[in-house]
Amino acid sequence: MTTRQRNAAIGAGIGGVAGSVLTDGNPWGVVGGAVVGGVIGHGTGSDRKLRHYDTH
């Protein structure tokens, strides 16, 4: 699992819990929170393996 995948999974979990709390357990709130959290989590961090550094 890459760093971005891990961050997306963590973000989705946190977002799902937050969505549940904010909407009193409404399923759409849980799903929406998970989606938003996953997108934010995916956008944070970096995959060093995907970067190319020119050493010249």
Side-chain angles (χ1 to χ4, degrees):
M1 183 176 273
T2 67
T3 301
R4 284 190 181 211
Q5 290 170 334
R6 188 185 74 228
N7 288 348
I10 292 169
I14 292 171
V17 170
S20 176
V21 169
L22 292 172
T23 63
D24 294 324
N26 181 321
W28 289 110
V30 175
V31 171
V35 169
V36 170
V39 169
I40 292 171
H42 184 267
T44 61
S46 65
D47 285 331
R48 292 182 187 258
K49 290 186 251 181
L50 298 177
R51 289 189 177 169
H52 174 73
Y53 294 100
D54 190 9
T55 58
H56 298 284

